[in-house]
Amino acid sequence: MPPAASERPTRIVVDLDHLAFNLRSIRAHVGVPVMGIVKANAYGHGLVPVALHLQAQGVEQLGVAFVEEGIALRNAGVTAPVLVLGGIFGPQVAQFILHDLEITVSSLDKLRQVEAAAQALGRKAVIHLKIDTGMERIGVHSYSSRAFVEAAVASPWCVLKGIYSHLACSDDPNSPMTLQQLERFFDACSHIERLGAPMPIRHLANSGGVLHFPATWLDMVRPGIVLYGVQPDPASLRTIEVKPVMSLASQVVYFKVVKAGHPVSYGATWAPEHDTRVVTIPIGYGDGYPRALSSRGEVLIRGHRYSIVGRVCMDQFMVDIGQDSAFNEDEVVLIGSQGDDAITAEALAQRAGIIPYEILVGLNDRIPREYRGGSAER
Ligand SMILES: *Cc1c(COP(=O)(O)O)cnc(C)c1O
């Protein structure tokens, strides 16, 4: 159905049934609870609608990067447990506690800041300890984690709900790094065992871990990209059946014939050898469609695959359709399927020389999002 005149014809369609399918697939595969990662606007799919749908599907936990994302979830009525994965700033701690958000504690100093804020509010903070096992991003190094872990176990103002680390190389099924990280993680957990304290939830696996390394599943997994039906890396194995949640389409806004030798778009980087038909598509890097796809990207129109020619502009790009026909308002698929053909986020990323994450996350709020499926919960 064509969109209403007031709505931009370029749109992202988010298939909530595919999201639910992927969650079920992951669950059946790993057999442990799932923390659905919804940071960065749910990888471009829309933070609140995705979180609400995952919650309706009974996801055990949600994960975001920043406290602001967590607060947005609470303001939208999301009641599922939410862990903020990023490093904290002391002055923000009260906001975590007031919004019932779980805190990543990544150093002894930060543990003290959390305790002080919790005590001042008279309310316990729910925390997950972050152990660095090889990422060197945030977290206490596993080899010097003993005092940190012991202080957290002893803390009267913190509820120790989880302990976790992050995998650096799990996208590659052959990297030896992952099992090394797992060993280091067990070392950190052993400090809790030695105290005889109850073991909190141990979680380690991102999408790569979920796909490739069963030993990393432990008590909970933290898939992001695979939940959205996209593989983290060209080297990743399709060990779980998932379906792409996002599709992106626009419409032809202009048709013309370009004469042989007449260049197209900024910088005059491309010109046809023979007279050819060229259509213009009203989406560009101002929407987050990568400029790196200049003369490299492809789209589907009338069931055929065509190349982008010349540079992608801020709001438009051009496509060479040769001697074929296309008309104004014809559907143009940028991500998704049309006829028997499909363009995946993975394929687009490879053409652009970037990772699929950047494709999804880059598509910004200038593009309207439409939600399909999932009607049972709404
Ligand atoms: C982003 C993130 C994830 C999810 O990563 P994917 O590769 O998208 O599965 C998991 N854990 C942490 C700590 C993250 O920052």
Side-chain angles (χ1 to χ4, degrees):
M1 214 180 53
S6 60
E7 292 174 5
R8 190 174 168 196
T10 300
R11 57 194 42 233
I12 287 170
V13 174
V14 176
D15 189 324
L16 294 174
D17 290 339
H18 284 189
L19 181 68
F21 176 92
N22 297 343
L23 178 63
R24 281 196 300 276
S25 259
I26 292 167
R27 272 206 176 126
H29 187 70
V30 301
V32 297
V34 174
M35 180 188 306
I37 304 300
V38 294
K39 62 190 178 185
N41 200 28
Y43 290 51
H45 296 68
L47 174 66
V48 167
V50 166
L52 285 172
H53 195 64
L54 289 173
Q55 175 174 287
Q57 301 300 312
V59 79
E60 283 80 4
Q61 171 106 34
L62 295 168
V64 294
F66 302 132
V67 67
E68 293 79 7
E69 295 174 316
I71 292 170
L73 289 177
R74 290 289 178 250
N75 289 342
V78 172
T79 54
V82 174
L83 171 62
V84 177
L85 299 162
I88 57 164
F89 294 101
Q92 296 178 328
V93 176
Q95 290 302 309
F96 280 81
I97 298 173
L98 292 170
H99 289 93
D100 198 17
L101 299 169
E102 297 172 10
I103 307 173
T104 291
V105 174
S106 54
S107 72
L108 199 50
D109 272 359
K110 290 185 195 279
L111 179 68
R112 299 303 178 214
Q113 287 177 320
V114 171
E115 287 175 320
Q119 187 166 17
L121 287 171
R123 242 169 101 172
K124 286 191 180 187
V126 179
I127 64 168
H128 294 239
L129 302 185
K130 185 73 188 280
I131 306 298
D132 189 338
T133 58
M135 183 77 180
E136 300 289 352
R137 191 165 66 178
I138 61 168
V140 176
H141 289 126
S142 50
Y143 47 78
S144 48
S145 62
R146 183 169 179 171
F148 172 60
V149 167
E150 290 181 355
V153 169
S155 173
W157 286 103
C158 294
V159 176
L160 181 54
K161 179 173 172 183
I163 180 167
Y164 77 106
S165 186
H166 193 55
L167 298 173
C169 300
S170 61
D171 296 352
D172 176 358
N174 299 312
S175 171
M177 177 98 173
T178 300
L179 294 180
Q180 192 176 22
Q181 286 195 261
L182 179 64
E183 257 177 56
R184 291 173 179 164
F185 184 62
F186 282 145
D187 272 351
C189 295
S190 74
H191 301 311
I192 300 176
E193 272 161 26
R194 201 175 311 111
L195 293 174
M199 186 57 70
I201 298 169
R202 301 164 305 162
H203 49 100
L204 185 57
N206 51 7
S207 292
V210 166
L211 291 171
H212 306 131
F213 296 96
T216 65
W217 298 343
L218 303 176
D219 307 323
M220 186 180 266
V221 294
R222 304 192 307 267
I225 199 150
V226 81
L227 194 53
Y228 303 99
V230 175
Q231 300 295 112
D233 189 271
S236 298
L237 305 175
R238 296 182 176 273
T239 55
I240 306 181
E241 192 198 348
V242 290
K243 302 175 180 178
V245 176
M246 180 192 287
S247 52
L248 170 65
S250 186
Q251 292 178 0
V252 171
V253 74
Y254 203 81
F255 172 96
K256 68 181 161 295
V257 173
V258 175
K259 285 191 184 301
H262 287 229
V264 169
S265 194
Y266 290 120
T269 58
W270 179 90
E273 285 175 23
H274 308 283
D275 290 8
T276 191
R277 297 173 172 180
V278 169
V279 292
T280 302
I281 318 302
I283 172 173
Y285 67 79
D287 300 293
Y289 191 80
R291 188 170 173 276
L293 290 168
S294 298
S295 289
R296 300 185 66 87
E298 293 179 327
V299 301
L300 304 175
I301 305 172
R302 296 185 164 252
H304 298 283
R305 186 178 276 254
Y306 300 111
S307 294
I308 295 175
V309 289
R311 288 195 183 144
V312 171
C313 310
M314 190 183 291
D315 319 301
Q316 310 178 69
F317 63 74
M318 277 63 84
V319 168
D320 180 11
I321 60 166
Q323 298 311 307
D324 291 350
S325 302
F327 298 88
N328 283 321
E329 296 174 37
D330 273 355
E331 182 194 52
V332 181
V333 169
L334 296 91
I335 299 173
S337 57
Q338 192 189 60
D340 301 330
D341 205 355
I343 293 176
T344 61
E346 291 94 323
L348 217 51
Q350 266 197 301
R351 288 195 161 266
I354 59 179
I355 58 174
Y357 296 78
E358 285 181 275
I359 295 275
L360 301 178
V361 165
L363 297 170
N364 63 39
D365 278 348
R366 198 162 72 147
I367 310 175
R369 279 146 177 84
E370 188 182 307
Y371 294 87
R372 300 234 176 111
S375 46
E377 293 82 33
R378 285 181 299 170

